[in-house]
Amino acid sequence: MPSKTKKPKASWKLSPALESTAQVDIATRYKNYIDGSWVAPSEGKYFPTKNPATGKKLSEVAKSTQPDVDLAVKAARKAYDEVWSQITPRERGKYLFRIARLIQERAREFAIIETLDGGKPIRESRDVDIPLAANHFFYYAGWADKLEYAFPNRKVAPIGVAGQIIPWNFPLLMAAWKIAPALATGNTVVLKPAETTPLTALKLAELFSDAGLPDGVVNIVTGDGTTGAELANHPGVDKIAFTGSTEVGKSIQKSAAGSNKRLTLELGGKAANIILEDAPIDQAVEGVVNGIYFNQGHVCCAGSRLFVQESVYEEVIQKLKQRIDTLIVGDPLDKNTDIGAINSREQLKTIQKYIKIGIKEGADLYQPECELSTVGSWCPPTLFTNVAQSSVIAQEEIFGPVLAAQTFRTVPEVIEKANNTPYGLAAGVWCDKGARLFQLTNALDAGVVWGNTYNQFDPTSPFGGYKESGFGREGGLHGLSAYLHTSSH
Ligand code: NAP
Ligand code: MG
């Protein structure tokens, strides 16, 4: 039976600490950014982008179709042939440094828009998304004129026009992950942001103009999945970089088969967070909370499965429930908020469907008692215990603040259980012994394994998956090679 325990009454309450939106400039309508200008979509249609915390419309953006994508790809090709492949690598680097500095200068505005459009807590967009996006531009700016050192004894050449399609969970950061290495290596770009979170990518276009980036080097076309498919299928695109669901990734892979297009896919995940009996328990519990409730669980590498060694299971679950009770679900613009709004109604329905499945499968549900706003989309932090390895909530990606906990007795057992998933994006291991940590990190089929920490990101570190989590790496040196042809001299 689902149980709801009473939230212990806090002896103190935090006063709201709302971030002001006074300085934020959001236009009532955005056209596409093509060849350095704002261009109306060929069919003249627009669709709204909403604030998921209030359900209110923030702006409207172009609904792009094939002719718009075609125009953007042609602009990118022209810019590649006539400008971007002609200037020196050092010049390219200068533009990237300029963009990085401009993001830093306007970081507050970007953070607020990210929170308004996507629903994530301002603390996170301010401290994670925007600084990391700037850092990616800084990092790849540094590589632009040093590619011969990145690939010693190899000849490198850009690929050409990159079509980039990104999801809604880290809108500006995903744009930075894709645009920065593409430009540093001499490629030009057509980017399609997600339908529900297009605004920071469009603000980034404003900033490209401010930076004096030559026209057509980056083009941004908004739209839905059909726009994304038009971009992926366009014959003028030489490389596709896609981050999103495994289902769409597979369809892109099929359509790219037989073409000359290079492809990288960053797809879904079902990461395991593993707590061994000698782990620092308080630290591990905090890491688990950060791993799944951070960003409403809208994280491809979210630690959505928890494995706890039997001898410490009771203690971990008790501490975890206590910590869950203190999490603040509420206005994303409030600096006290831990868990913001679910990105869209559709995503909320998906999460609720999985919670129902978990209950039906016989797992024990734990949710804190918290008042949720009646407008907007919200989900309390959710913990399932007594979860079977075969259960749907332990196998499928939920992409919400829902954690499925299981126990294990031995290390070989947890390795087998953790690897028993079609995904292979990330994992976390909590234990005191370095040798054990390395044993586990080597045995886990995951692109990233964090030891005694979780969700740490850095531009120098490659990120990507195994199995159905995709292929190719973003970040670090590996992220450069995804945008280059390399050959021997
Ligand atoms: P999604 O539905 O696959 O969408 C991703 C992007 O692709 C969006 O821009 C989407 O447009 C577009 N798209 C939809 N259908 C398309 C098609 N047939 N052809 C080309 N493009 C298409 O994924 P999502 O729901 O936005 O994002 C959540 C997923 O992304 C999760 O599975 C998560 O694990 C994954 N993710 C992975 C990583 C990683 O690095 N591995 C990082 C972040 C997220 P619309 O927005 O209009 O639908
Ligand atoms: Mg929105």
Side-chain angles (χ1 to χ4, degrees):
M1 276 301 287
S3 67
K4 278 203 173 188
T5 53
K6 261 208 155 353
K7 190 170 178 174
K9 278 212 161 43
S11 50
W12 40 262
K13 211 170 174 255
L14 296 172
S15 306
L18 289 179
E19 182 68 64
S20 162
T21 57
Q23 303 299 320
V24 170
D25 175 26
I26 301 177
T28 50
R29 170 181 275 192
Y30 286 93
K31 299 173 183 172
N32 286 320
Y33 184 71
I34 298 175
D35 208 12
S37 306
W38 296 97
V39 181
S42 57
E43 289 188 359
K45 290 190 185 146
Y46 293 82
F47 64 92
T49 183
K50 294 179 186 165
N51 178 347
T54 60
K56 287 198 182 127
K57 176 174 156 181
L58 291 163
S59 179
E60 58 182 26
V61 302
K63 187 165 177 359
S64 310
T65 51
Q66 199 277 338
D68 308 307
V69 171
D70 190 51
L71 201 64
V73 172
K74 286 189 173 133
R77 172 68 56 197
K78 187 162 170 275
Y80 177 75
D81 289 340
E82 295 176 8
V83 186
W84 205 240
S85 61
Q86 304 299 317
I87 64 172
T88 62
R90 194 152 170 256
E91 277 299 301
R92 292 202 305 260
K94 273 196 213 166
Y95 285 111
L96 289 174
F97 276 121
R98 213 178 278 168
I99 293 162
R101 282 194 296 270
L102 284 169
I103 295 176
Q104 282 187 324
E105 273 171 29
R106 289 174 58 182
R108 187 165 166 273
E109 186 187 359
F110 270 95
I112 295 168
I113 296 175
E114 202 72 305
T115 285
L116 286 171
D117 204 16
K120 63 172 63 192
I122 186 71
R123 226 171 46 207
E124 189 181 302
S125 23
R126 184 194 63 191
D127 298 347
V128 180
D129 294 62
I130 313 303
L132 267 178
N135 284 349
H136 269 268
F137 277 100
F138 275 124
Y139 176 72
Y140 283 111
W143 273 122
D145 61 350
K146 300 177 196 70
L147 296 177
E148 65 201 270
Y149 302 102
F151 304 95
N153 302 318
R154 308 283 289 167
K155 213 165 99 190
V156 295
I159 295 173
V161 174
Q164 306 182 325
I165 302 168
I166 56 174
W168 43 260
N169 57 347
F170 290 89
L172 184 73
L173 185 57
M174 288 299 116
W177 275 28
K178 297 222 165 354
I179 295 172
L183 297 195
T185 45
N187 301 274
T188 56
V189 165
V190 179
L191 177 100
K192 194 208 81 77
E195 200 176 333
T196 56
T197 55
L199 291 182
T200 43
L202 293 162
K203 294 301 280 187
L204 191 60
E206 287 179 10
L207 209 143
F208 292 147
S209 284
D210 295 349
L213 189 70
D215 294 347
V217 170
V218 179
N219 306 274
I220 297 181
V221 286
T222 52
D224 58 16
T226 56
T227 315
E230 292 293 354
L231 180 57
N233 291 327
H234 197 291
V237 168
D238 302 307
K239 188 225 150 66
I240 305 164
F242 172 80
T243 297
S245 59
T246 297
E247 192 193 345
V248 175
K250 280 182 181 170
S251 79
I252 291 180
Q253 191 172 11
K254 262 189 215 142
S255 69
S259 76
N260 235 350
K261 286 176 189 161
R262 287 265 297 263
L263 177 63
T264 42
L265 299 174
E266 303 269 5
L267 309 175
K270 193 74 187 170
N273 230 330
I274 300 169
I275 303 183
L276 287 116
E277 58 194 357
D278 61 344
I281 301 292
D282 290 336
Q283 194 186 325
V285 166
E286 201 51 39
V288 169
V289 166
N290 172 31
I292 182 67
Y293 300 127
F294 157 89
N295 197 17
Q296 301 75 248
H298 294 342
V299 188
C300 49
C301 51
S304 51
R305 294 181 296 155
L306 172 64
F307 293 98
V308 188
Q309 202 154 16
E310 245 176 38
S311 53
V312 290
Y313 181 74
E314 294 301 329
E315 182 188 357
V316 167
I317 296 299
Q318 188 213 347
K319 287 192 167 170
L320 187 56
K321 287 180 177 173
Q322 279 173 357
R323 182 67 179 94
I324 287 173
D325 284 342
T326 66
L327 293 174
I328 299 172
V329 185
D331 188 345
L333 279 173
D334 190 329
K335 289 165 205 155
N336 299 315
T337 293
D338 297 301
I339 299 180
I342 299 301
N343 183 265
S344 64
R345 283 261 151 216
E346 290 67 39
Q347 188 58 26
L348 179 62
K349 277 189 206 145
T350 305
I351 298 168
Q352 287 168 339
K353 176 193 84 180
Y354 278 110
I355 293 177
K356 279 198 194 125
I357 291 175
I359 296 168
K360 214 165 153 210
E361 285 179 325
D364 296 327
L365 171 80
Y366 184 83
Q367 288 177 327
E369 242 181 32
C370 50
E371 278 169 36
L372 300 178
S373 167
T374 50
V375 292
S377 305
W378 311 93
C379 179
T382 302
L383 168 67
F384 278 108
T385 51
N386 195 20
V387 176
Q389 173 73 7
S390 59
S391 84
V392 172
I393 54 165
Q395 290 291 329
E396 294 184 12
E397 185 183 42
I398 300 174
F399 225 57
V402 182
L403 178 63
Q406 300 174 60
T407 60
F408 67 93
R409 285 189 185 159
T410 65
V411 170
E413 180 192 344
V414 77
I415 291 171
E416 199 182 319
K417 281 182 164 171
N419 285 342
N420 182 10
T421 158
Y423 296 110
L425 192 58
V429 179
W430 302 83
C431 86
D432 189 45
K433 306 264 177 312
R436 174 78 17 118
L437 203 67
F438 283 120
Q439 180 196 356
L440 270 150
T441 52
N442 284 329
L444 292 169
D445 297 336
V448 181
V449 183
W450 286 289
N452 290 328
T453 186
Y454 207 84
N455 270 338
Q456 294 295 327
F457 286 94
D458 189 279
T460 63
S461 175
F463 183 84
Y466 289 109
K467 303 195 281 189
E468 293 203 5
S469 291
F471 50 80
R473 295 291 179 267
E474 291 186 309
L477 269 178
H478 301 67
L480 289 170
S481 53
Y483 288 94
L484 287 169
H485 289 300
T486 51
S487 56
S488 48
H489 276 287

mmCIF file of all heavy atoms in Angstrom, residues 156-186:
data_model
loop_
_atom_site.group_PDB
_atom_site.id
_atom_site.type_symbol
_atom_site.label_atom_id
_atom_site.label_comp_id
_atom_site.label_asym_id
_atom_site.label_seq_id
_atom_site.Cartn_x
_atom_site.Cartn_y
_atom_site.Cartn_z
ATOM 1 N N VAL A 156 44.025 17.060 -39.392
ATOM 2 C CA VAL A 156 42.604 17.197 -39.054
ATOM 3 C C VAL A 156 41.926 18.181 -39.994
ATOM 4 O O VAL A 156 42.544 19.140 -40.448
ATOM 5 C CB VAL A 156 42.392 17.655 -37.583
ATOM 6 C CG1 VAL A 156 42.886 16.615 -36.608
ATOM 7 C CG2 VAL A 156 43.007 19.007 -37.314
ATOM 8 N N ALA A 157 40.642 17.917 -40.250
ATOM 9 C CA ALA A 157 39.852 18.831 -41.091
ATOM 10 C C ALA A 157 38.421 18.840 -40.585
ATOM 11 O O ALA A 157 37.909 17.805 -40.126
ATOM 12 C CB ALA A 157 39.887 18.359 -42.534
ATOM 13 N N PRO A 158 37.775 20.020 -40.636
ATOM 14 C CA PRO A 158 36.379 20.070 -40.193
ATOM 15 C C PRO A 158 35.489 19.210 -41.083
ATOM 16 O O PRO A 158 35.866 18.865 -42.213
ATOM 17 C CB PRO A 158 36.010 21.551 -40.309
ATOM 18 C CG PRO A 158 37.059 22.166 -41.181
ATOM 19 C CD PRO A 158 38.280 21.323 -41.080
ATOM 20 N N ILE A 159 34.306 18.899 -40.578
ATOM 21 C CA ILE A 159 33.402 18.026 -41.339
ATOM 22 C C ILE A 159 32.530 18.847 -42.290
ATOM 23 O O ILE A 159 32.214 18.423 -43.381
ATOM 24 C CB ILE A 159 32.542 17.194 -40.366
ATOM 25 C CG1 ILE A 159 33.460 16.254 -39.572
ATOM 26 C CG2 ILE A 159 31.489 16.394 -41.104
ATOM 27 C CD1 ILE A 159 32.792 15.494 -38.467
ATOM 28 N N GLY A 160 32.125 20.033 -41.865
ATOM 29 C CA GLY A 160 31.294 20.878 -42.720
ATOM 30 C C GLY A 160 30.137 21.491 -41.949
ATOM 31 O O GLY A 160 30.346 22.203 -40.974
ATOM 32 N N VAL A 161 28.905 21.143 -42.365
ATOM 33 C CA VAL A 161 27.714 21.692 -41.698
ATOM 34 C C VAL A 161 27.195 20.672 -40.686
ATOM 35 O O VAL A 161 26.916 19.524 -41.046
ATOM 36 C CB VAL A 161 26.609 22.016 -42.734
ATOM 37 C CG1 VAL A 161 25.324 22.445 -42.033
ATOM 38 C CG2 VAL A 161 27.082 23.094 -43.698
ATOM 39 N N ALA A 162 27.068 21.121 -39.434
ATOM 40 C CA ALA A 162 26.557 20.233 -38.388
ATOM 41 C C ALA A 162 25.095 20.572 -38.088
ATOM 42 O O ALA A 162 24.760 21.735 -37.861
ATOM 43 C CB ALA A 162 27.406 20.375 -37.125
ATOM 44 N N GLY A 163 24.230 19.568 -38.113
ATOM 45 C CA GLY A 163 22.834 19.720 -37.692
ATOM 46 C C GLY A 163 22.740 19.224 -36.257
ATOM 47 O O GLY A 163 23.117 18.079 -35.972
ATOM 48 N N GLN A 164 22.299 20.080 -35.365
ATOM 49 C CA GLN A 164 22.331 19.735 -33.943
ATOM 50 C C GLN A 164 20.916 19.830 -33.352
ATOM 51 O O GLN A 164 20.228 20.839 -33.527
ATOM 52 C CB GLN A 164 23.278 20.687 -33.209
ATOM 53 C CG GLN A 164 24.663 20.716 -33.860
ATOM 54 C CD GLN A 164 25.637 21.612 -33.135
ATOM 55 O OE1 GLN A 164 25.235 22.644 -32.603
ATOM 56 N NE2 GLN A 164 26.900 21.234 -33.116
ATOM 57 N N ILE A 165 20.512 18.776 -32.663
ATOM 58 C CA ILE A 165 19.148 18.712 -32.119
ATOM 59 C C ILE A 165 19.256 18.440 -30.619
ATOM 60 O O ILE A 165 19.928 17.487 -30.203
ATOM 61 C CB ILE A 165 18.362 17.577 -32.822
ATOM 62 C CG1 ILE A 165 18.339 17.833 -34.336
ATOM 63 C CG2 ILE A 165 16.949 17.475 -32.266
ATOM 64 C CD1 ILE A 165 17.857 16.650 -35.156
ATOM 65 N N ILE A 166 18.608 19.290 -29.831
ATOM 66 C CA ILE A 166 18.827 19.192 -28.376
ATOM 67 C C ILE A 166 17.512 19.073 -27.587
ATOM 68 O O ILE A 166 16.458 19.480 -28.066
ATOM 69 C CB ILE A 166 19.667 20.391 -27.855
ATOM 70 C CG1 ILE A 166 19.001 21.733 -28.215
ATOM 71 C CG2 ILE A 166 21.083 20.323 -28.385
ATOM 72 C CD1 ILE A 166 19.701 22.937 -27.601
ATOM 73 N N PRO A 167 17.573 18.521 -26.374
ATOM 74 C CA PRO A 167 16.374 18.322 -25.547
ATOM 75 C C PRO A 167 16.118 19.501 -24.611
ATOM 76 O O PRO A 167 16.843 20.500 -24.635
ATOM 77 C CB PRO A 167 16.732 17.072 -24.745
ATOM 78 C CG PRO A 167 18.197 17.211 -24.527
ATOM 79 C CD PRO A 167 18.763 17.945 -25.710
ATOM 80 N N TRP A 168 15.104 19.322 -23.752
ATOM 81 C CA TRP A 168 14.638 20.434 -22.929
ATOM 82 C C TRP A 168 15.192 20.468 -21.509
ATOM 83 O O TRP A 168 14.855 21.355 -20.738
ATOM 84 C CB TRP A 168 13.106 20.436 -22.854
ATOM 85 C CG TRP A 168 12.490 19.066 -22.649
ATOM 86 C CD1 TRP A 168 11.942 18.287 -23.618
ATOM 87 C CD2 TRP A 168 12.365 18.337 -21.424
ATOM 88 N NE1 TRP A 168 11.483 17.115 -23.074
ATOM 89 C CE2 TRP A 168 11.721 17.123 -21.732
ATOM 90 C CE3 TRP A 168 12.722 18.593 -20.091
ATOM 91 C CZ2 TRP A 168 11.432 16.153 -20.759
ATOM 92 C CZ3 TRP A 168 12.440 17.632 -19.127
ATOM 93 C CH2 TRP A 168 11.804 16.431 -19.461
ATOM 94 N N ASN A 169 16.023 19.516 -21.164
ATOM 95 C CA ASN A 169 16.401 19.477 -19.740
ATOM 96 C C ASN A 169 17.534 20.426 -19.361
ATOM 97 O O ASN A 169 17.562 20.930 -18.243
ATOM 98 C CB ASN A 169 16.691 18.041 -19.300
ATOM 99 C CG ASN A 169 17.757 17.376 -20.119
ATOM 100 O OD1 ASN A 169 18.132 17.869 -21.177
ATOM 101 N ND2 ASN A 169 18.257 16.263 -19.640
ATOM 102 N N PHE A 170 18.479 20.651 -20.293
ATOM 103 C CA PHE A 170 19.548 21.633 -20.057
ATOM 104 C C PHE A 170 19.677 22.468 -21.333
ATOM 105 O O PHE A 170 20.666 22.322 -22.063
ATOM 106 C CB PHE A 170 20.873 20.929 -19.746
ATOM 107 C CG PHE A 170 20.896 20.243 -18.415
ATOM 108 C CD1 PHE A 170 20.474 18.932 -18.289
ATOM 109 C CD2 PHE A 170 21.322 20.912 -17.274
ATOM 110 C CE1 PHE A 170 20.473 18.296 -17.059
ATOM 111 C CE2 PHE A 170 21.329 20.285 -16.037
ATOM 112 C CZ PHE A 170 20.904 18.968 -15.930
ATOM 113 N N PRO A 171 18.702 23.325 -21.605
ATOM 114 C CA PRO A 171 18.647 23.940 -22.946
ATOM 115 C C PRO A 171 19.901 24.722 -23.348
ATOM 116 O O PRO A 171 20.472 24.447 -24.404
ATOM 117 C CB PRO A 171 17.423 24.860 -22.857
ATOM 118 C CG PRO A 171 16.605 24.287 -21.742
ATOM 119 C CD PRO A 171 17.570 23.706 -20.767
ATOM 120 N N LEU A 172 20.361 25.650 -22.535
ATOM 121 C CA LEU A 172 21.543 26.426 -22.937
ATOM 122 C C LEU A 172 22.800 25.561 -22.869
ATOM 123 O O LEU A 172 23.666 25.637 -23.740
ATOM 124 C CB LEU A 172 21.720 27.666 -22.046
ATOM 125 C CG LEU A 172 22.876 28.559 -22.500
ATOM 126 C CD1 LEU A 172 22.527 29.310 -23.779
ATOM 127 C CD2 LEU A 172 23.303 29.539 -21.422
ATOM 128 N N LEU A 173 22.887 24.748 -21.845
ATOM 129 C CA LEU A 173 24.077 23.914 -21.685
ATOM 130 C C LEU A 173 24.228 22.933 -22.853
ATOM 131 O O LEU A 173 25.322 22.749 -23.383
ATOM 132 C CB LEU A 173 24.013 23.164 -20.349
ATOM 133 C CG LEU A 173 25.240 22.340 -19.994
ATOM 134 C CD1 LEU A 173 26.498 23.195 -19.975
ATOM 135 C CD2 LEU A 173 25.056 21.647 -18.648
ATOM 136 N N MET A 174 23.125 22.328 -23.262
ATOM 137 C CA MET A 174 23.196 21.401 -24.399
ATOM 138 C C MET A 174 23.581 22.146 -25.683
ATOM 139 O O MET A 174 24.318 21.625 -26.517
ATOM 140 C CB MET A 174 21.857 20.684 -24.608
ATOM 141 C CG MET A 174 21.526 19.648 -23.558
ATOM 142 S SD MET A 174 22.738 18.320 -23.486
ATOM 143 C CE MET A 174 23.386 18.548 -21.860
ATOM 144 N N ALA A 175 23.068 23.382 -25.828
ATOM 145 C CA ALA A 175 23.455 24.190 -27.001
ATOM 146 C C ALA A 175 24.961 24.449 -26.953
ATOM 147 O O ALA A 175 25.661 24.328 -27.970
ATOM 148 C CB ALA A 175 22.668 25.498 -27.030
ATOM 149 N N ALA A 176 25.487 24.775 -25.771
ATOM 150 C CA ALA A 176 26.922 25.054 -25.634
ATOM 151 C C ALA A 176 27.753 23.799 -25.903
ATOM 152 O O ALA A 176 28.779 23.857 -26.578
ATOM 153 C CB ALA A 176 27.215 25.596 -24.236
ATOM 154 N N TRP A 177 27.299 22.667 -25.367
ATOM 155 C CA TRP A 177 28.021 21.398 -25.581
ATOM 156 C C TRP A 177 28.169 21.110 -27.067
ATOM 157 O O TRP A 177 29.120 20.495 -27.498
ATOM 158 C CB TRP A 177 27.223 20.228 -24.973
ATOM 159 C CG TRP A 177 27.443 19.977 -23.523
ATOM 160 C CD1 TRP A 177 27.796 20.902 -22.583
ATOM 161 C CD2 TRP A 177 27.325 18.717 -22.846
ATOM 162 N NE1 TRP A 177 27.887 20.298 -21.356
ATOM 163 C CE2 TRP A 177 27.604 18.958 -21.489
ATOM 164 C CE3 TRP A 177 26.979 17.434 -23.242
ATOM 165 C CZ2 TRP A 177 27.568 17.950 -20.524
ATOM 166 C CZ3 TRP A 177 26.943 16.429 -22.291
ATOM 167 C CH2 TRP A 177 27.240 16.681 -20.943
ATOM 168 N N LYS A 178 27.166 21.534 -27.831
ATOM 169 C CA LYS A 178 27.172 21.199 -29.249
ATOM 170 C C LYS A 178 27.856 22.291 -30.077
ATOM 171 O O LYS A 178 28.685 22.000 -30.939
ATOM 172 C CB LYS A 178 25.735 21.001 -29.733
ATOM 173 C CG LYS A 178 25.060 19.839 -29.025
ATOM 174 C CD LYS A 178 24.272 19.009 -29.955
ATOM 175 C CE LYS A 178 23.866 17.662 -29.417
ATOM 176 N NZ LYS A 178 24.349 17.202 -28.152
ATOM 177 N N ILE A 179 27.497 23.548 -29.827
ATOM 178 C CA ILE A 179 28.005 24.626 -30.694
ATOM 179 C C ILE A 179 29.508 24.861 -30.479
ATOM 180 O O ILE A 179 30.261 25.011 -31.445
ATOM 181 C CB ILE A 179 27.205 25.933 -30.455
ATOM 182 C CG1 ILE A 179 25.739 25.744 -30.877
ATOM 183 C CG2 ILE A 179 27.832 27.094 -31.212
ATOM 184 C CD1 ILE A 179 24.815 26.898 -30.502
ATOM 185 N N ALA A 180 29.950 24.880 -29.219
ATOM 186 C CA ALA A 180 31.345 25.276 -28.943
ATOM 187 C C ALA A 180 32.366 24.361 -29.640
ATOM 188 O O ALA A 180 33.245 24.865 -30.352
ATOM 189 C CB ALA A 180 31.586 25.343 -27.438
ATOM 190 N N PRO A 181 32.286 23.027 -29.497
ATOM 191 C CA PRO A 181 33.292 22.205 -30.183
ATOM 192 C C PRO A 181 33.149 22.256 -31.707
ATOM 193 O O PRO A 181 34.142 22.180 -32.428
ATOM 194 C CB PRO A 181 33.035 20.782 -29.661
ATOM 195 C CG PRO A 181 31.651 20.792 -29.123
ATOM 196 C CD PRO A 181 31.375 22.205 -28.681
ATOM 197 N N ALA A 182 31.902 22.409 -32.194
ATOM 198 C CA ALA A 182 31.696 22.469 -33.652
ATOM 199 C C ALA A 182 32.413 23.689 -34.229
ATOM 200 O O ALA A 182 33.127 23.594 -35.232
ATOM 201 C CB ALA A 182 30.205 22.523 -33.970
ATOM 202 N N LEU A 183 32.236 24.842 -33.581
ATOM 203 C CA LEU A 183 32.865 26.071 -34.103
ATOM 204 C C LEU A 183 34.384 26.037 -33.928
ATOM 205 O O LEU A 183 35.128 26.473 -34.808
ATOM 206 C CB LEU A 183 32.301 27.310 -33.400
ATOM 207 C CG LEU A 183 30.810 27.615 -33.565
ATOM 208 C CD1 LEU A 183 30.506 29.034 -33.121
ATOM 209 C CD2 LEU A 183 30.328 27.399 -34.988
ATOM 210 N N ALA A 184 34.825 25.525 -32.789
ATOM 211 C CA ALA A 184 36.273 25.503 -32.527
ATOM 212 C C ALA A 184 37.000 24.692 -33.586
ATOM 213 O O ALA A 184 38.138 24.996 -33.942
ATOM 214 C CB ALA A 184 36.550 24.917 -31.149
ATOM 215 N N THR A 185 36.357 23.672 -34.121
ATOM 216 C CA THR A 185 37.006 22.798 -35.098
ATOM 217 C C THR A 185 36.734 23.246 -36.532
ATOM 218 O O THR A 185 37.125 22.559 -37.479
ATOM 219 C CB THR A 185 36.514 21.345 -34.904
ATOM 220 O OG1 THR A 185 35.089 21.371 -34.748
ATOM 221 C CG2 THR A 185 37.128 20.705 -33.684
ATOM 222 N N GLY A 186 36.004 24.360 -36.700
ATOM 223 C CA GLY A 186 35.847 24.930 -38.039
ATOM 224 C C GLY A 186 34.567 24.553 -38.760
ATOM 225 O O GLY A 186 34.455 24.768 -39.966
#
